Amino acid sequence: MKNNTEDTHSVRLMREQDILQVSIIETDAFPHLFPPTSFRKELQRPISTLMVAASQLNPIDCERPFNKFTARMNSKAETYRSGNTGWKPGMEFLTGFIFLWQMSKEETHIMSIGTRRSHRRKGIGELLLHSALTKAIQEKVNSFTLEVRVSNTPAITLYEKYGFSHRGSRKSYYTDNHEDASIMTADNLHSTDYRLLMAKNLSLLSDRLKN
């Protein structure tokens, strides 16, 4: 499964050689996550689906517009918590990932979505979400669920754009600050209305990714 948008971004299933980059993206995006995800194990787990977004542009060119320390591009300590992007010449430059568990034949749960800090607020997370929903619809999944911090307004706004609504709460769900989580669900993914919503959002997203 591969989803291309304007030849500069693509989404595909994660492979074993992606583990280093994805692990670094996760650590940078979720510094308080413990234990970190064992992506090697999840790649073998039947209920897991992992997808990655890749940029077709030169990694240095990708980073330059977002990094005020461009004079020191060889040192990533200013831009990444670990001081390492995980990318090496000859590799695809991964910009984000989405991690899913299939809870049943009809329900998928989003475990996490992470993007590189240099590519946040650029539509990469939405591209991953749209791609995951498209794949799930093709596989006859009818509902998606997730948890999100109640303070994470940008993420909640994105999920609402895709038909997710608040269905409940998990008190003190996040261990770093005991913040509550909102449980959100999108269902009836096979309805005509939802297919129209997906098509509309893809058109808007494609325009965003061009810029």
Side-chain angles (χ1 to χ4, degrees):
M1 179 272 175
K2 190 169 184 176
N3 183 17
N4 298 297
T5 306
E6 293 305 315
D7 298 326
T8 60
H9 302 83
S10 63
V11 174
R12 60 167 173 78
L13 292 174
M14 182 179 168
R15 300 189 286 256
E16 188 170 345
Q17 56 264 43
D18 301 326
I19 290 174
L20 177 59
Q21 287 193 75
V22 172
S23 295
I24 288 173
I25 292 170
E26 180 189 61
T27 299
D28 191 63
F30 308 109
H32 301 291
L33 180 65
F34 184 83
T37 303
S38 175
F39 290 106
R40 194 176 304 278
K41 181 182 295 185
E42 293 300 335
L43 283 171
Q44 304 302 318
R45 195 190 297 268
I47 66 170
S48 295
T49 297
L50 294 123
M51 303 167 71
V52 294
S55 172
Q56 308 307 308
L57 302 176
N58 183 295
I60 301 301
D61 293 336
C62 286
E63 301 263 283
R64 184 172 286 117
F66 311 108
N67 183 3
K68 66 181 179 180
F69 298 98
T70 53
R72 293 179 284 173
M73 284 302 298
N74 290 330
S75 173
K76 300 295 183 180
E78 293 92 350
T79 1
Y80 294 90
R81 296 178 201 277
S82 67
N84 181 13
T85 67
W87 176 84
K88 297 178 181 178
M91 299 169 63
E92 281 187 296
F93 184 67
L94 304 184
T95 56
F97 73 92
I98 186 167
F99 170 27
L100 312 164
W101 270 4
Q102 188 166 354
M103 309 306 290
S104 69
K105 289 184 178 180
E106 294 192 348
E107 180 185 343
T108 292
H109 188 81
I110 299 177
M111 303 297 290
S112 60
I113 303 177
T115 58
R116 287 192 187 273
R117 61 172 63 190
S118 57
H119 287 71
R120 292 172 194 164
R121 297 179 294 279
K122 301 296 178 182
I124 304 302
E126 182 174 355
L127 176 62
L128 285 159
L129 177 62
H130 192 285
S131 299
L133 283 163
T134 299
K135 181 178 185 297
I137 290 169
Q138 292 170 349
E139 295 174 351
K140 310 302 182 185
V141 172
N142 196 46
S143 67
F144 258 53
T145 62
L146 58 89
E147 290 95 9
V148 59
R149 290 178 186 267
V150 294
S151 65
N152 193 347
T153 302
I156 292 171
T157 299
L158 171 62
Y159 297 137
E160 289 176 341
K161 180 179 179 181
Y162 281 83
F164 286 79
S165 60
H166 176 79
R167 303 295 176 89
S169 300
R170 299 195 192 282
K171 298 296 183 181
S172 302
Y173 183 73
Y174 296 97
T175 57
D176 60 325
N177 63 356
H178 304 290
E179 184 174 355
D180 294 350
S182 173
I183 303 168
M184 301 187 74
T185 300
D187 45 25
N188 297 318
L189 303 187
H190 293 281
S191 68
T192 300
D193 285 348
Y194 200 82
R195 290 177 183 272
L196 291 172
L197 176 66
M198 288 283 287
K200 174 186 174 183
N201 285 344
L202 180 60
S203 177
L204 295 171
L205 176 59
S206 296
D207 289 340
R208 183 181 181 191
L209 289 170
K210 291 178 188 177
N211 300 319

